[in-house]
Amino acid sequence: MDIGSKLQKVRVAKGVSLREISNATKISPHILEALERNDLARLPGGIFARGYLRAYAAELGLDPEEIVAEFRDQVEPPPEPRLPDPTPEHVDWGSRRRSLGIAAVFGLAAALIIYTAYMVRPAGPPDSQEIAGTVATGGEIVVETPEGPSTAAPANPGTQNGLRLEFQPRAECWVSATVDGRLVVYRLMASGERATLDARDEIALRVGDAGVFVYSINGAPGRSLGRQGQVVDVRITKGNYNAWLADAGGSSPVSKELTDAPNKGAARVEPPANPPSSTGV
């Protein structure tokens, strides 16, 4: 039963007219009639309608608050559920700063490792591609020059036609050779392996075992460069090559300090102070 019908039923049961209710409550009869008909369009809204209901219910001996509650359930929409306020996210800025600091330290460490690995490389033997034209063919090293590989000895060996150095170690021997400022041999040569070098002006050698190094200059046998196991540096030029030949008067002395302490470096072998003025080759 709606609230208006309930009020009307109780009023009629008590034998009370709308005029009597109006005189007692001071509410206009047409508003009381609208309440009984549930004619909300004729009723003032909000608190006024609830006030009329309380007065009407009290006059009929009903519980005013119960009548108002029933009226609300009947005519007012249920309140929308209130969503809980979102809890603001707590940001731990101290923890974030510490994480960023740790990441920065690891990043710098990685950059330093990469720099050290790729930029600060230890000195070592030159790459094989930096050694121009060194090719092993059938036990013989043929050194290519800008004009092509050397194939024949100069027609007139001597200072005017440059230098040809041929060498063939009797045992395993490390050899480094620079021809006219260009590194052409940098390798460990096997026993019996042969190499031929042609130069315009100069050939610089570093020999790892002077006692097994056998060579010739412009077709003439060269003199001994030192004893077995001795490391020597040799510089042969067009002006001094005769002094390195076997018939130039034997080998020249080597610094005792260097020969007795090979770990300090290679002994530098110099040609005799007074080489013969001419030597037949």
Side-chain angles (χ1 to χ4, degrees):
M1 182 181 298
D2 58 68
I3 192 65
S5 299
K6 181 176 181 178
L7 291 173
Q8 185 182 34
K9 182 178 179 180
V10 173
R11 179 182 62 80
V12 171
K14 288 181 177 288
V16 182
S17 66
L18 286 178
R19 176 63 59 184
E20 292 174 331
I21 297 295
S22 175
N23 291 335
T25 61
K26 309 301 182 186
I27 301 173
S28 172
H30 72 273
I31 292 179
L32 296 174
E33 184 179 356
L35 286 173
E36 289 185 355
R37 292 180 179 179
N38 297 302
D39 189 357
L40 300 180
R42 293 175 60 187
L43 294 174
I47 191 172
F48 293 101
R50 294 193 291 272
Y52 295 153
L53 281 173
R54 285 189 178 92
Y56 193 175
E59 186 64 25
L60 293 176
L62 300 175
D63 184 353
E65 297 303 324
E66 182 180 343
I67 295 298
V68 170
E70 291 180 10
F71 176 77
R72 283 180 173 177
D73 292 340
Q74 178 181 327
V75 300
E76 294 182 4
E80 295 182 2
R82 186 172 181 272
L83 298 176
D85 295 333
T87 304
E89 181 183 356
H90 175 68
V91 179
D92 189 352
W93 293 107
S95 177
R96 287 196 176 185
R97 283 193 294 268
R98 287 192 296 271
S99 299
L100 290 175
I102 294 173
V105 169
F106 278 108
L108 289 175
L112 182 60
I113 291 172
I114 294 173
Y115 176 82
T116 303
Y118 290 95
M119 302 298 293
V120 190
R121 287 184 285 185
D127 188 78
S128 59
Q129 294 183 355
E130 297 175 2
I131 304 174
T134 302
V135 184
T137 55
E140 180 176 3
I141 299 176
V142 180
V143 178
E144 296 180 356
T145 62
E147 294 78 15
S150 303
T151 56
N156 181 21
T159 58
Q160 294 182 354
N161 292 311
L163 301 167
R164 166 163 284 194
L165 176 71
E166 296 179 87
F167 54 90
Q168 184 176 14
R170 293 194 303 265
E172 216 174 53
C173 179
W174 178 267
V175 179
S176 170
T178 302
V179 175
D180 294 324
R182 188 167 65 112
L183 182 64
V184 295
V185 177
Y186 194 96
R187 57 172 295 178
L188 180 66
M189 296 184 64
S191 174
E193 193 172 13
R194 239 172 346 122
T196 302
L197 310 178
D198 281 347
R200 292 185 303 272
D201 300 303
E202 177 184 278
I203 298 174
L205 294 173
R206 169 163 285 201
V207 179
D209 190 343
V212 301
F213 190 76
V214 179
Y215 66 100
S216 66
I217 305 175
N218 292 343
R223 63 186 176 87
S224 173
L225 298 181
R227 66 174 181 269
Q228 188 170 355
Q230 184 181 6
V231 181
V232 297
D233 286 329
V234 175
R235 180 172 171 269
I236 304 172
T237 67
K238 289 195 300 184
N240 73 1
Y241 84 96
N242 283 317
W244 296 104
L245 302 181
D247 56 359
S251 60
S252 61
V254 179
S255 167
K256 184 177 187 302
E257 178 185 356
L258 290 176
T259 56
D260 290 343
N263 60 318
K264 294 183 180 179
R268 183 175 181 82
V269 181
E270 300 290 349
N274 298 307
S277 60
S278 64
T279 302
V281 179

